Amino acid sequence: MSKRGRPRNFDRAAALRRAMEVFWAQGYDGTSMSDLITAMNVNSPSIYAAFGSKEALFREAVALYRATEGGRIWGAMTAAPTARAAIEAVLRVSAEEYTRPNKPRGCLIVLGTLHANDGNETMRREMQVHRAGSMTMLLQRLKRGVTEGELPNGPDWRAIATFYSTVQQGMSIQARDGASRKTLLAVADCAMAAWDGLVASRQ
């Protein structure tokens, strides 16, 4: 019995990684199918056959980014022994990841789709959900610190998690604008210098 359909003649995983880096560097709206064809070295019919659509390809690229590039940031948070160390790890590893040589600068989740238009509303909302999820991970780690007796119960931990999430997102923008790793690490240090005052605050 003959096999139906044409066999795929390219490395899907490698092509997806190249697509991820194009979306990371140029954003969803700034990336055209022509850009993807060039970067992936795959023709348009094959891209659609393998991934379905530009939206579907972007979703897969975001999932790959979260599992690899972004995964190092949240893995460092998970491995940290204390809540304070976890927040510091997120900021410092973000500074390192956002400025890696030969990689797009900044964060795909933060910078991928910021402005709404008729063609990207679904993607923009999905990125909002991802960003909110990152803040929630910070909040859950802080609340765990309260439960374990490491942190007091008085401060507004949601506001504090939002503050550190905002710092991290700002670091992404600064990286895209050319800030050095040294500068971003200094930003992380400044943010952590506020820790004691935040922890001592009352709702």
Side-chain angles (χ1 to χ4, degrees), residues 148-168:
E148 294 176 350
E150 176 197 347
L151 300 176
N153 196 31
D156 183 346
W157 291 113
R158 178 172 293 276
I160 293 170
T162 302
F163 166 72
Y164 282 110
S165 180
T166 301
V167 171
Q168 184 199 27

Side-chain angles (χ1 to χ4, degrees), residues 18-94:
R18 289 192 289 268
M20 177 193 75
E21 294 198 353
V22 175
F23 283 128
W24 186 2
Q26 300 177 192
Y28 179 78
D29 293 324
T31 299
S32 66
M33 283 304 300
S34 177
D35 294 329
L36 293 168
I37 289 166
T38 299
M40 299 167 75
N41 195 27
V42 180
N43 62 34
S44 179
S46 294
I47 291 176
Y48 284 113
F51 298 99
S53 66
K54 181 183 174 184
E55 279 192 2
L57 176 56
F58 182 69
R59 285 192 185 97
E60 286 202 43
V62 168
L64 177 62
Y65 178 87
R66 295 183 72 200
T68 55
E69 315 296 336
R72 285 186 283 271
I73 296 170
W74 302 107
M77 183 193 78
T78 301
T82 65
R84 186 190 190 286
I87 298 297
E88 184 172 14
V90 167
L91 297 182
R92 295 187 70 82
V93 176
S94 292

Side-chain angles (χ1 to χ4, degrees), residues 115-196:
H115 302 291
N117 60 49
D118 292 339
N120 77 356
E121 182 59 19
T122 299
M123 295 295 95
R124 188 182 68 84
R125 288 185 181 276
E126 289 184 16
M127 293 305 100
Q128 282 183 315
V129 170
H130 287 314
R131 290 191 293 270
S134 296
M135 191 282 290
T136 298
M137 285 193 286
L138 294 180
L139 177 59
Q140 289 173 342
R141 184 61 186 88
L142 293 173
K143 286 185 173 180
R144 177 182 149 197
V146 174
T147 300
E148 294 176 350
E150 176 197 347
L151 300 176
N153 196 31
D156 183 346
W157 291 113
R158 178 172 293 276
I160 293 170
T162 302
F163 166 72
Y164 282 110
S165 180
T166 301
V167 171
Q168 184 199 27
Q169 291 175 10
M171 289 166 65
S172 174
I173 296 170
Q174 289 292 316
R176 181 59 58 89
D177 284 348
S180 68
R181 178 173 295 183
K182 180 179 179 181
T183 294
L184 296 186
L185 288 170
V187 170
D189 289 342
C190 289
M192 294 313 302
W195 174 264
D196 288 342

